[in-house]
Amino acid sequence: MLQLIVATVLFLVMMFGIGFILNMLLKTTWFPIYAFIIVLLPVYIWQTWDDTVSFVDNFTEFTYVDVIPVLGALAGAYVSGWAIRALRRGGYKMF
C-alpha cells in the first residue's frame, strides 16, 4: 500500500513538472492533458496488451493498483494547466 501511495505522488509530481515545462515552452494551457490522453494512455494499454486473451479480458485485468497511479498522473497534468492559467491571469507574461 505504501508503494501505491509513493507511486501515485511520484507520477503526480512528475506530470506536473513535465506539464508545467511544456506549458511554458509551447504557450498552451491544456496540452499536457491532451498529450497524456492521446499518447501516454494508449502506449500504456499497448504495453500491457496480451494477444492470447480477449479484448474485454485485457481491460478487466487492470486493477486499482494499475489505475490509481494513472489517475494521479492525470491529476498532475490537470494541476499544471490550472497553475499556468492562474499565473497568466495573475499577470505573469512569461507563462
Side-chain angles (χ1 to χ4, degrees):
M1 192 54 124
L2 180 64
Q3 293 169 343
L4 178 65
I5 294 168
V6 169
T8 304
V9 172
L10 179 68
F11 285 133
L12 187 137
V13 170
M14 186 173 57
M15 277 304 294
F16 176 80
I18 292 170
F20 197 84
I21 291 170
L22 282 174
N23 282 328
M24 284 193 308
L25 293 176
L26 300 176
K27 304 242 184 224
T28 60
T29 302
W30 302 113
F31 177 73
I33 290 179
Y34 301 141
F36 184 83
I37 292 171
I38 294 171
V39 177
L40 293 178
L41 277 180
V43 167
Y44 177 69
I45 291 171
W46 175 74
Q47 177 185 5
T48 59
W49 197 263
D50 186 12
D51 290 332
T52 60
V53 296
S54 69
F55 181 81
V56 174
D57 288 339
N58 273 313
F59 284 108
T60 57
E61 288 181 6
F62 290 116
T63 62
Y64 71 93
V65 176
D66 299 322
V67 174
I68 290 176
V70 171
L71 292 176
L74 185 62
Y78 175 77
V79 171
S80 73
W82 181 80
I84 288 290
R85 186 177 63 176
L87 287 170
R88 286 187 187 138
R89 286 184 180 168
Y92 293 95
K93 297 197 184 236
M94 68 180 291
F95 299 112

